[in-house]
């Protein structure tokens, strides 16, 4: 598949998503949100709260993991090549009044 087609594929995929980070189970509505919520509960067992530690989420998509880590004290940077993914990420961070660093790029 040509690189241009891959770019269009990911932008199309993330352009169709409207769910984002949910901080508690009562906010979960969709199966996607439930999967994400369970994933974050697991991440809590691996990543302890850390003030000021930097994290980089490559291929961040909705950046749920970064938002979760940010809320635990991490400084977060999100990298994605899809503009729609970064828009959804920014929306999530804005919704919760959080700050992150968003980068459009590829590895």
């Amino acid at each position: 598949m040509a690189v241009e087609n891959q770019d269009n594929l990911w932008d199309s995929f993330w352009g169709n998503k409207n769910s984002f980070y949910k901080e508690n189970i009562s906010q979960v509505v969709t199966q996607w949100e439930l999967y994400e919520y369970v994933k974050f509960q697991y991440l809590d067992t691996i990543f302890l709260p850390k003030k000021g530690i930097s994290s980089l989420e490559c291929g961040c998509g909705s950046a749920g993991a970064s938002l979760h880590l940010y809320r635990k004290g991490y400084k977060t940077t999100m990298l994605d090549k899809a503009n729609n993914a970064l828009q959804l990420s920014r929306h999530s961070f804005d919704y919760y009044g959080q700050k992150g660093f968003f980068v459009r790029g590829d590895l």
Side-chain angles (χ1 to χ4, degrees):
M1 181 183 286
V3 171
E4 183 177 309
N5 288 342
Q6 288 178 349
D7 291 348
N8 292 337
L9 173 75
W10 286 115
D11 259 335
S12 175
F13 176 82
W14 288 111
N16 294 327
K17 299 288 182 220
N18 60 6
S19 63
F20 53 93
Y21 179 79
K22 307 297 182 194
E23 63 183 354
N24 60 57
I25 193 71
S26 66
Q27 297 174 304
V28 170
V29 176
T30 67
Q31 184 175 355
W32 176 275
E33 292 168 349
L34 180 60
Y35 163 74
E36 292 283 287
Y37 180 81
V38 170
K39 177 175 74 175
F40 302 138
Q41 297 307 300
Y42 176 72
L43 288 176
D44 282 347
T45 67
I46 300 171
F47 297 100
L48 300 176
K50 301 278 185 175
K51 282 283 189 200
I53 300 294
S54 296
S55 71
L56 171 63
E57 186 176 5
C58 299
C60 68
S62 64
S66 287
L67 183 54
H68 189 74
L69 289 174
Y70 182 89
R71 296 171 69 78
K72 302 287 182 187
Y74 289 75
K75 292 185 218 173
T76 56
T77 300
M78 286 68 60
L79 171 71
D80 207 295
K81 67 189 296 183
N83 281 325
N84 287 333
L86 291 173
Q87 287 175 352
L88 181 60
S89 299
R90 284 187 189 102
H91 175 72
S92 296
F93 271 72
D94 290 346
Y95 180 85
Y96 287 102
Q98 309 298 322
K99 296 179 182 175
F101 186 64
F102 304 89
V103 178
R104 183 169 188 270
D106 195 9
L107 296 176

